[in-house]
Amino acid sequence: MTIQPPPGAVPTDPTPGPTDAPASAAHAGESAAYPQDVFIPGEPTDSAVVPEGDRVGKGAIHLVHLYPREMSIYGDLGNTRALAARIRRHGYSPVVHQHHPGSAFPETVHLVLGGGGQDSGQVRVEEDLEQIADRLRGLAAEGTPMLMICGMYQLFGNAFITVEGKRLPGLGILDVTTQGNAKRMIGPVVLDTEFGDVVGYENHSGSTTLGSGQAAFGTVKSGFGNNGTDQTEGARTGNVFGSYLHGPILPANPALADALIGLAAERATGRPFEPVAQDDAFADEARTRQVRRLVKR
C-alpha cells in the first residue's frame, strides 16, 4: 500500500531502519498530526494527542522534535520515528510534538530531539531558538534527556565560528565550540561509548573542540569525530547528548534509544523504567557488520 501524506504535510525521507518500523499495521497509511507538521510515514494521525483511559498504557511520554522541517537532514527524522515505535513496544504511549519557528513550545516535555541542517536552516531557526533558550536550558538542568545531531549539536554549544570568522552564539548547554572549515569530514563512523559500539555516518565541515571538563559522547574507533584529531566524538552533559552521527543513529543503536526512553519514562511516570524485551537482531547484525568492516582487530 502506498502511504500518502495529508494536504499541507511536508514529505520527508526518514530513512527507516531495522528497528523503526510501525508498531502495527493499523499505523500504516496514517499521517502527520497537524497541517504544519512534517509528514512522518508510519506515525498515526493522533500522534500528538494524549491517549485517554487504558490506551495510555504504562504512561504517556511527550517527545519534542525541534525544527523538523529546517533541521532534519540525512534521515534524522528517523530518530523520532524509532523512538515513537520503541516507546509503544515498551508499553508506553508516545506523544509526538513538532516544534516549528514561531509556534508555542509544548508545556509537557520528557524527551527532546534535534537534527542537522544546512546553514540556511540554522539561520531560519536562530531567532526562535533564542526565544525558547531559557526553557531548553531549564529542561536540561532538570535532567530531561535530549539528543542533538550535527547542526543542533553545534547550536547547543557555546558558539559556531564561520569560515569568515563571524562568531554565532549558541545556547551553551554543552561546553563545546565549533570552527567552520572549507573541508568536510564525511564517512561511516564507529565509536566506543558507554552503550557499547555505536555506528553512524558523519558529514560536517565544522571542527568541534570540547571545553576543559566537558565529557565526550564517545571515543572514535573509525572516522573523524569532533575534529579529526583528538579522537573525541560528540559531547554529554547530564542527560544531554550531542553527536555528529546521522544514519539515523537510533535505529542502528537500540541501546542508546532505550537509554533515552528509560530516562524519559522515569520523568514521565515517576517510576523506574519498565522495559519489554525487544527483538533487535537486524539492528545488531547491521551494526556488527559495520564495526567488523571498519575497525581493524
Side-chain angles (χ1 to χ4, degrees):
M1 180 173 64
T2 301
I3 301 174
Q4 296 294 338
V10 179
T12 63
D13 177 13
T15 315
T19 66
D20 61 351
S24 73
H27 297 153
E30 298 177 342
S31 57
Y34 300 108
Q36 73 270 26
D37 283 354
V38 169
F39 173 53
I40 305 177
E43 274 299 292
T45 53
D46 60 354
S47 196
V49 177
V50 180
E52 296 181 350
D54 294 340
R55 292 181 59 219
V56 77
K58 297 174 182 174
I61 297 177
H62 290 249
L63 186 162
V64 179
H65 189 125
L66 299 173
Y67 316 121
R69 183 171 296 112
E70 295 84 3
M71 302 295 291
S72 282
I73 59 174
Y74 308 131
D76 289 339
L77 199 62
N79 289 328
T80 300
R81 184 181 177 189
L83 285 174
R86 291 187 76 88
I87 287 171
R88 293 189 185 94
R89 293 172 187 174
H90 284 301
Y92 298 83
S93 292
V95 182
V96 180
H97 304 272
Q98 298 188 23
H99 178 72
H100 306 287
S103 66
F105 196 78
E107 292 186 6
T108 303
V109 180
H110 302 127
L111 180 55
V112 183
L113 291 175
Q118 306 291 342
D119 290 350
S120 58
Q122 296 192 29
V123 170
R124 290 199 296 274
V125 307
E126 189 174 7
E127 182 177 351
D128 185 83
L129 190 62
E130 185 176 348
Q131 295 296 317
I132 64 173
D134 286 344
R135 182 76 190 283
L136 290 172
R137 293 188 188 105
L139 288 168
E142 293 169 2
T144 304
M146 303 182 182
L147 175 65
M148 297 297 134
I149 302 297
C150 199
M152 287 304 297
Y153 165 40
Q154 295 171 349
L155 291 172
F156 265 53
N158 296 319
F160 179 87
I161 303 170
T162 68
V163 176
E164 295 78 19
K166 183 179 180 180
R167 185 181 181 89
L168 306 176
L171 298 182
I173 294 174
L174 298 169
D175 185 12
V176 304
T177 301
T178 302
Q179 171 68 57
N181 298 299
K183 183 179 179 180
R184 301 192 70 82
M185 289 172 270
I186 305 172
V189 182
V190 178
L191 305 179
D192 177 28
T193 78
E194 63 182 284
F195 309 102
D197 286 336
V198 167
V199 300
Y201 193 89
E202 63 185 331
N203 186 351
H204 57 104
S205 61
S207 292
T208 297
T209 303
L210 305 181
S212 61
Q214 173 64 62
F217 168 54
T219 301
V220 175
K221 298 172 76 172
S222 180
F224 293 98
N226 279 327
N227 48 53
T229 58
D230 64 7
Q231 291 192 298
T232 67
E233 203 290 327
R236 178 182 182 177
T237 295
N239 294 330
V240 179
F241 297 83
S243 174
Y244 277 112
L245 269 59
H246 299 283
I249 184 175
L250 294 182
N253 302 282
L256 175 60
D258 281 355
L260 295 169
I261 293 171
L263 292 166
E266 291 179 7
R267 289 186 57 79
T269 67
R271 306 187 307 272
F273 181 37
E274 303 166 17
V276 172
Q278 306 289 310
D279 181 0
D280 292 321
F282 288 119
D284 292 342
E285 177 66 18
R287 187 178 60 260
T288 299
R289 290 192 180 205
Q290 183 163 333
V291 173
R292 189 182 302 146
R293 179 169 61 87
L294 295 173
V295 180
K296 296 180 180 179
R297 301 292 183 182

